[in-house]
Amino acid sequence: MKLPLAKGTKRALLVEGGGMKGAFSGGVLHSLNQYLGPQNFDLVVGVSSGACSAAYYVTMKNPEPIKSERALSVWYKELSGRQLISLLHPFRGKTFLDQEYLIDFIFRKKVRLESEFLGKKGFPEFRIAVSNLHSHSIEYVKATSTNIFELLKAATSLPIATRGKQWLAGRLYSDAALLNPLPIQDLIEAGYKEIIVVMNSPVAHISKPLSLVTGLFAFPRNWKIAKMMRRWHHHNFNHARIIAKKPPNGIHIHTIAPDVPLPVSLTTTVRNRLFETVQLGTQKGEEAAAFLKDFFLGSQKTLKGTVQSRAKRQTPNKKPLRSKSKRK
């Protein structure tokens, strides 16, 4: 499944993953909810843990301070300590990262994701990026009320930390970040002209190639995907940041990213560090929302002016045609 071709404002929001670094994007989207709702985008794309934060954002059309704050608190209240990630989980028949706790308990019940709003009028289309383990390629699956929870499991199926794979519609999927952590290029190729990117590390951050050992442990029975992961993960990560800093002509890319490395890593579960990360994201989100509101308004005026100028250019061309027909 490819990304839908751009239409309307040709504006997309892309949310990066990164394990517990997703607490930053959670803060950013909380602020956007207060000032810039999801209806300002034609398409929202989430990768890995970024899909989790984006899922709450796209189901709140209007500012929802209480609901949004509750969703944001998941990062530092529900996912801290040993609830989500623990070395003791395997002794209890669980994976190191307990997806059942995250998706089936938190998202389905305790802090319920209102999935019934997915696909409704006035809400943007929400696509979640996943790696197809059969075709060894990235797919952008449309999130619906019937598939969202299994889709989120697929998006967060990290090798080693989880089983590394999830069945969805008869196929096995895994985290899209294995092959492409930040698919900006795919959005450009689909025709999107205004792209807002939420990054969970500084724009200048460079990713190093994954080690051979990591590939072996990640997919011991799938050498092809292990090899592709080692080849493409860092390449696409770094290439996306180059594009973000210097977009092609006619493409506007605005990045919302931390200025320095976050106080958390992929697996940090220390509450105060997660809370600090959330606060950093909230602050950056507020700054971005103020800028984007003016930017979007300017874009609408430009588009309106372009349409009017085209109409004016067409009018003189029509009059001679009509006058000629009259003389005949």
Side-chain angles (χ1 to χ4, degrees), residues 80-134:
S80 61
R82 297 178 179 178
Q83 300 177 95
L84 177 67
I85 302 173
S86 174
L87 294 175
L88 298 177
H89 281 167
F91 297 102
R92 299 167 183 160
K94 304 177 182 180
T95 54
F96 291 111
L97 189 155
D98 189 353
Q99 285 182 294
E100 284 68 28
Y101 170 78
L102 175 65
I103 308 298
D104 295 331
F105 178 62
I106 299 299
F107 281 17
R108 283 182 184 269
K109 300 176 182 178
K110 190 168 185 179
V111 187
R112 194 177 80 84
L113 173 66
E114 298 179 336
S115 58
E116 61 271 20
F117 290 112
L118 291 170
K120 295 293 185 180
K121 185 177 180 180
F123 292 82
E125 186 166 334
F126 182 34
R127 296 279 179 137
I128 295 180
V130 286
S131 295
N132 187 319
L133 297 181
H134 302 280

Side-chain angles (χ1 to χ4, degrees), residues 29-40 57 60-69:
L29 295 181
H30 169 69
S31 290
L32 291 189
N33 171 263
Q34 309 307 305
Y35 305 103
L36 207 66
Q39 68 273 19
N40 287 279
Y57 175 69
M60 297 183 196
K61 182 180 178 181
N62 301 311
E64 297 275 4
I66 297 177
K67 288 183 181 179
S68 185
E69 179 61 44

Side-chain angles (χ1 to χ4, degrees), residues 7 14 28 62 107 121 175 179 225 242 299 318:
K7 53 186 177 181
L14 173 61
V28 170
N62 301 311
F107 281 17
K121 185 177 180 180
D175 190 335
L179 303 178
I225 195 72
I242 292 173
S299 297
K318 290 181 179 179

